Amino acid sequence: MANPAILTVDDDPAVSRAVARDMRRRYGERYRVVRASSGSEALEALREIKLRGEQTALLVADYRMPQMNGIQFLEAAMDLFPRARRVLLTAYADTDAAINAINVVDLDHYLLKPWNPPEENLYPVVDALLEAWLTAPDASTSQVRVVGHRWSAPSYKVRDFLARNLVPYRWFLADDAEGARLLSAAGVTEAAVPLVVTGEGKSLVQPSEAELAASVGLTVTPAADFYDLIVVGAGPAGLGAAVYGASEGLRTVLVERRATGGQAGQSSRIENYLGFPDGVSGSQLTERARRQALKFGAELLSAREVVALENIGSTRVVRFADGSRIAAHSVVLATGVSYRMLDVPGCADLTGRGVFYGSASTEAINCADEEVYIVGGANSAGQAAVHFARFAKRVNILIRSADLRRSMSQYLVDQIEAIENIAVHPFTEVCRGEGADHLERLWLRDAQTGDTRAVDTSWLFIFIGAEPRTDWLDGVVVRDARGFVLTGPDLLTAGQRPPGWNLPRDPFHLECSVPGVFAAGDVRADSVKRVASAVGEGAMAVSLVHRYLEAQ
């Protein structure tokens, strides 16, 4: 097969030659550099590449071009090669347009002209983008196929796991022609779904998350028995700790039970994170952080549930659900929080069949022209409402309080008020869910009057409360009454250090009641529940790990 293409398009002949020359000089042996003088000419070249079954790795387009500017070209090119990385060439006066393009075409980077010397201003950017393109799976060549029923909770669980781990897949209904053919080829019946067929043709019937992770290329087995640092949980705090730990020379392993990103990874758009003025999706932020951690040498274990933490002298041991274990000099607990279950009749039985916890982005497109209900008034609920409003006929936000301003950032409140098909229902709570094979009806109660009413819907998304899920730390580290981990000064009672503390110093700021074990992010008691603060605590925890190790 021919080398992947790098396509450049600029209507200025001198600039076009300069871009192509610099690209060929560094990448000519591994990539085929194609240049065009207009957007239409570039699209025609891409169509020919597509018809030949070849790949395009990078698109570099000038912003100011007649008939079709660079943003319009990149938007059209995404339909042909959605995986290709996208760069906009722009003059200083056009940087606002380039920033706006981040939302329109999911721009990866914009470069100011001129970029001389290319060794400093061009090649580092292109190197990173090509590396990202090479490491991302190609859906056309290594595609996972999932066969299941529309309202099957196990089928939803498989799809959600793949989506949150950024594994591309195709979804087939078991009673469709292609789904039936796959079931027949695997020798199983509809009753056995979900069926997962890997890109290599391996069939998995009702796989566990660990089996699924191993079969789609995620790492599930540690490369060593002992590390400098074990990070438990791959949300923003855990990813931050992994990036800083690995970049500063610590042999670091990051362990995640379900999917990198945690709750933040499910967000459709985070708009108040520093450095992203037009917002960034949780999956984009997560993927960049994951690649960054791997770049520095961190090891990432997926679908591994940690069930115990043990202290053996100066060694900290982490035990997995399958009985295996790894050990380290230090541990960072970054397990975040989980949404609290909605404890009302009917909803538990319908989980994954119309009742979902978190944004469940895999379901958004299925909500087209339907009524969607969201329970919760914090930022995660608001971000989900804005996202679902793009698809649903109407999005209904149910809150117990009088309005959203008590618990939601103002920028989200303003957005929600400006979207016509979002309705906020104050003093309203769900009291029952009903349905046969899936959710069909909700009963809502007015908290002021006690009146109830029924609404027909197949979609309920729940964002309530925050539970740390730290039962596995019972008897090991000190927690508060709600299960959040106490650290630093919060461990001192009347100036006394926590029981069992065997060092002549007080615990460091993020250190738990066990020396060398630190907590970062939402799992820590009284932490600020924001992505930026979680990342900061992850980085801070690593600096404290260094102080701890230096004193040993």
Side-chain angles (χ1 to χ4, degrees):
M1 181 175 289
N3 287 339
I6 294 176
L7 185 139
T8 70
V9 52
D10 198 303
D11 65 315
D12 185 327
V15 176
S16 179
R17 286 193 298 271
V19 177
R21 179 196 64 227
D22 288 342
M23 291 292 186
R24 289 193 182 102
R25 181 180 300 164
R26 186 174 183 96
Y27 308 107
E29 292 185 1
R30 293 170 292 146
Y31 296 88
R32 184 163 57 93
V33 178
V34 179
R35 68 185 179 101
S37 59
S38 68
S40 58
E41 181 182 332
L43 286 176
E44 186 60 31
L46 288 178
R47 292 187 187 100
E48 290 185 13
I49 293 171
K50 186 73 173 180
L51 289 173
R52 291 197 298 264
E54 298 170 2
Q55 301 180 76
T56 298
L58 180 67
L59 302 169
V60 182
D62 182 59
Y63 171 63
R64 287 184 178 269
M65 293 189 295
Q67 286 82 50
M68 181 185 294
N69 66 33
I71 296 175
Q72 293 168 330
F73 161 73
L74 290 173
E75 190 171 14
M78 288 171 66
D79 292 334
L80 293 168
F81 291 97
R83 288 182 59 248
R85 300 293 164 166
R86 294 172 283 277
V87 175
L88 194 67
L89 299 179
T90 179
Y92 184 82
D94 297 322
T95 52
D96 285 345
I99 292 173
N100 289 334
I102 293 173
N103 282 338
V104 177
V105 295
D106 194 16
L107 193 69
D108 291 294
H109 207 90
Y110 66 88
L111 285 170
L112 294 177
K113 299 184 294 184
W115 55 78
N116 288 329
E119 289 76 13
E120 294 180 13
N121 299 321
L122 176 67
Y123 295 150
V125 171
V126 175
D127 285 346
L129 294 178
L130 291 177
E131 179 185 357
W133 180 81
L134 286 169
T135 57
D138 185 353
S140 64
T141 58
S142 58
Q143 193 171 68
V144 174
R145 288 159 290 175
V146 181
V147 183
H149 293 302
R150 176 68 194 86
W151 296 111
S152 160
S155 297
Y156 161 73
K157 188 176 180 181
V158 165
R159 293 162 57 213
D160 187 59
F161 178 84
L162 293 173
R164 291 185 60 187
N165 283 285
L166 304 179
V167 177
Y169 70 91
R170 290 190 65 190
W171 164 244
F172 299 95
L173 293 174
D175 53 3
D176 283 351
E178 182 61 21
R181 282 192 287 269
L182 288 170
L183 289 172
S184 176
V188 297
T189 66
E190 284 191 33
V193 296
L195 168 71
V196 178
V197 182
T198 69
E200 295 76 31
K202 180 182 178 181
S203 296
L204 306 173
V205 179
Q206 299 179 355
S208 67
E209 289 186 350
E211 292 171 332
L212 189 57
S215 298
V216 298
L218 302 177
T219 301
V220 297
T221 304
D225 296 324
F226 197 90
Y227 297 84
D228 295 318
L229 172 63
I230 299 171
V231 181
V232 184
L239 286 166
V243 167
Y244 281 91
S247 67
E248 294 175 10
L250 298 178
R251 186 168 189 185
T252 303
V253 60
L254 177 61
V255 182
E256 172 54 42
R257 180 178 64 87
R258 185 153 178 76
T260 52
Q263 288 187 8
Q266 295 180 278
S267 174
S268 57
R269 180 67 55 178
I270 302 170
E271 297 193 54
N272 58 351
Y273 189 71
L274 184 67
F276 292 88
D278 292 284
V280 60
S281 73
S283 61
Q284 288 173 326
L285 189 63
T286 296
E287 174 60 9
R288 293 182 181 192
R290 185 192 68 84
R291 294 202 318 257
Q292 196 172 13
L294 294 176
K295 167 190 170 183
F296 287 122
E299 188 179 333
L300 173 58
L301 300 182
S302 299
R304 297 304 301 267
E305 183 179 4
V306 176
V307 296
L309 173 66
E310 299 174 0
N311 306 305
I312 304 175
S314 61
T315 298
R316 306 294 170 252
V317 176
V318 164
R319 291 194 178 275
F320 298 120
D322 64 357
S324 61
R325 54 171 249 176
I326 53 176
H329 293 299
S330 58
V331 173
V332 171
L333 304 174
T335 50
V337 294
S338 300
Y339 292 115
R340 185 164 52 83
M341 304 296 287
L342 184 63
D343 187 17
V344 300
C347 282
D349 294 336
L350 296 171
T351 300
R353 298 186 291 135
V355 176
F356 304 94
Y357 289 85
S359 64
S361 58
T362 55
E363 301 301 314
I365 196 169
N366 296 319
C367 298
D369 301 322
E370 298 200 29
E371 292 267 347
V372 169
Y373 286 79
I374 291 177
V375 178
N379 279 9
S380 54
Q383 291 160 352
V386 172
H387 178 61
F388 281 106
R390 296 167 51 195
F391 305 91
K393 178 173 67 176
R394 189 166 75 155
V395 176
N396 301 276
I397 303 178
L398 312 179
I399 55 174
R400 292 182 175 181
S401 58
D403 58 49
L404 293 171
R405 287 175 172 80
R406 293 182 56 189
S407 54
M408 190 177 293
S409 296
Q410 187 62 44
Y411 82 91
L412 269 174
V413 175
D414 294 340
Q415 283 185 22
I416 288 170
E417 290 178 345
I419 299 175
E420 293 183 356
N421 65 330
I422 296 182
V424 180
H425 303 268
F427 306 114
T428 304
E429 57 189 17
V430 175
C431 56
R432 177 181 292 275
E434 295 178 346
D437 65 335
H438 68 282
L439 177 67
E440 299 173 13
R441 187 176 301 103
L442 288 174
W443 285 88
L444 308 180
R445 178 188 295 117
D446 187 313
Q448 292 182 308
T449 67
D451 294 339
T452 61
R453 61 188 175 96
V455 294
D456 293 332
T457 183
S458 296
W459 307 100
L460 176 64
F461 299 90
I462 300 166
F463 301 83
I464 57 173
E467 295 183 344
R469 314 284 188 190
T470 55
D471 293 347
W472 60 280
L473 293 171
D474 276 348
V476 182
V477 300
V478 177
R479 299 170 295 146
D480 68 11
R482 294 185 298 162
F484 291 93
V485 177
L486 295 173
T487 61
D490 292 337
L491 289 167
L492 304 180
T493 304
Q496 297 298 311
R497 293 166 183 153
W501 186 264
N502 57 5
L503 297 181
R505 59 167 176 83
D506 290 344
F508 294 136
H509 181 63
L510 299 181
E511 197 167 19
C512 304
S513 57
V514 175
V517 178
F518 301 82
D522 291 359
V523 74
R524 192 176 66 84
D526 296 325
S527 65
V528 178
K529 303 300 188 282
R530 289 292 184 268
V531 175
S533 62
V535 173
E537 286 193 5
M540 182 191 296
V542 171
S543 69
L544 298 175
V545 166
H546 281 293
R547 289 178 61 183
Y548 167 76
L549 294 177
E550 288 166 0
Q552 296 304 298

